[in-house]
Amino acid sequence: MRRLDKTIAFVPTMGYLHEGHLSLIKKGREIGDSLVVSIFVNPVQFAPGEDFENYPRDLQRDLDLARKNGADVVFTPDDKELYSNDYQTYVNLKELPNHLCGISRPIFFSGVVTVVTKLFNIVKPHFAIFGQKDYQQLVIIRQMVCDLNFDIEIIGAETLREHDGLAMSSRNVYLTSGQRNSALCLYKSLQKAQALLSIGINDSEKIIDSASEIIKSGTNTEIDYIAICDPKTLIDIKKIDRQVLMALAVKVVKTRLIDNTILNP
Ligand code: PAJ
């Protein structure tokens, strides 16, 4: 495609595709002359004890969905194809992973950035699309592309939600119906935060306390973090006097869920 002077759009995923993934795929279809989707449950971004083995997989269904939504190529390498027995190289960032999800998942972003680097080198896209649902991941990929001089435009895409606000995620299948109900506390606390800010409460601590109350009032919920921070550096902000990122991670029994929003004063 490059030799034909055609552009390549790329959507990396770990599969078990949902509407959120499909919205990225549709965007990719619009942006590039050709569209590559990858499906690869990347072992090096899971720590021991996390859900690598149980991560939901359904390749046949994914291939059908990818094809129906406009993918020209679906790249589905196996583990040994990307990580041979003598594999040695990992890509790490100095600052951005030391916040939010990186604190409780210390090897996660090294694994993500390593696989995305490899996928970029294999696919050689002009554009790559990532969801804002994984906001820290998006910021980190943008930084890596800039730092390592990849000639790739990174495009951020909006978070798709279920009708009641729950952010779509492959991991939502782990939730029982009771747990799914508890999981709504993530979205509710983000909405409440914007409501508080709109009536002039701009103290991050107060907004985080209110979110924390909402989450704790749900059954079987355990807060990993709630943060209000600069959307580029991810450094905490105490007084909200400009656009900020509010991000949170909550465990509902064993399922760790994340969500975020941009708050506007
Ligand atoms: P995965 O969780 O499969 O997500 C693939 C892409 O879909 C990511 O860019 C993610 O932000 C986006 N996405 C997930 N849920 C979404 C939603 N509700 N709305 C819109 N977009 C959504 O993120 C990964 O895989 C991996 O870390 C990967 C980048 C593929 C590296 O292994």
Side-chain angles (χ1 to χ4, degrees):
M1 293 306 286
R2 277 185 174 264
R3 249 182 256 133
L4 296 171
D5 224 11
K6 304 275 190 211
T7 60
I8 302 165
F10 178 41
V11 178
T13 81
M14 297 204 298
Y16 213 70
L17 303 180
H18 52 66
E19 286 296 329
H21 294 118
L22 299 182
S23 71
L24 270 50
I25 292 175
K26 286 173 197 158
K27 211 181 196 60
R29 181 68 281 166
E30 286 167 17
I31 290 168
D33 296 319
S34 63
L35 172 62
V36 181
V37 173
S38 65
I39 297 174
F40 179 64
V41 184
N42 174 35
V44 305
Q45 70 187 71
F46 291 80
E50 290 186 348
D51 57 347
F52 174 69
E53 275 88 18
N54 298 330
Y55 196 85
R57 293 164 169 89
D58 190 342
L59 186 58
Q60 202 47 57
R61 178 176 160 276
D62 284 351
L63 291 175
D64 289 346
L65 283 171
R67 189 179 296 118
K68 275 195 194 115
N69 287 277
D72 296 306
V73 175
V74 183
F75 180 48
T76 62
D78 63 33
D79 295 2
K80 281 279 166 288
E81 224 173 328
L82 288 196
Y83 302 107
S84 59
N85 287 335
D86 67 344
Y87 189 82
Q88 304 196 23
T89 307
Y90 293 86
V91 184
N92 291 301
L93 285 81
K94 214 160 86 179
E95 299 292 346
L96 287 171
N98 303 335
H99 303 274
L100 311 179
C101 290
I103 297 172
S104 53
R105 304 186 76 189
I107 64 150
F108 175 67
F109 287 112
S110 169
V112 167
V113 177
T114 298
V115 81
V116 170
T117 301
K118 288 166 68 67
L119 291 168
F120 281 178
N121 282 326
I122 295 164
V123 174
K124 298 180 172 60
H126 297 82
F127 309 101
I129 302 143
F130 290 85
Q132 287 166 1
K133 155 89 181 353
D134 301 274
Y135 202 96
Q136 186 174 17
Q137 172 170 279
L138 172 62
V139 172
I140 284 177
I141 299 294
R142 283 193 198 285
Q143 180 76 38
M144 175 276 275
V145 160
C146 177
D147 288 351
L148 297 185
N149 312 92
F150 273 103
D151 190 10
I152 300 174
E153 186 180 330
I154 303 301
I155 293 157
E158 259 176 49
T159 301
L160 252 79
R161 298 178 179 281
E162 305 286 355
H163 64 280
D164 53 8
L166 179 67
M168 288 181 181
S169 162
S170 303
R171 290 192 167 97
N172 290 350
V173 294
Y174 296 147
L175 302 169
T176 63
S177 72
Q179 291 168 5
R180 194 195 170 292
N181 209 33
S182 294
L184 288 176
C185 68
L186 286 92
Y187 182 60
K188 282 185 192 154
S189 60
L190 294 174
Q191 278 193 313
K192 178 73 186 215
Q194 183 59 62
L196 290 175
L197 191 56
S198 304
I199 57 165
I201 297 172
N202 66 354
D203 181 355
S204 296
E205 203 179 309
K206 284 198 180 125
I207 294 180
I208 290 172
D209 284 349
S210 132
S212 167
E213 252 175 57
I214 294 173
I215 292 164
K216 284 178 185 156
S217 71
T219 34
N220 290 319
T221 53
E222 187 194 324
I223 297 169
D224 176 355
Y225 67 80
I226 306 172
I228 291 179
C229 60
D230 181 279
K232 289 214 172 78
T233 64
L234 309 181
I235 293 171
D236 283 346
I237 285 178
K238 290 200 173 359
K239 277 265 173 291
I240 307 174
D241 51 5
R242 58 196 147 108
Q243 275 204 346
V244 294
L245 171 71
M246 178 163 176
L248 65 171
V250 174
K251 253 183 157 179
V252 180
V253 190
K254 283 187 178 158
T255 308
R256 188 176 175 282
L257 302 171
I258 58 171
D259 204 344
N260 69 77
T261 192
I262 295 289
L263 297 178
N264 287 299

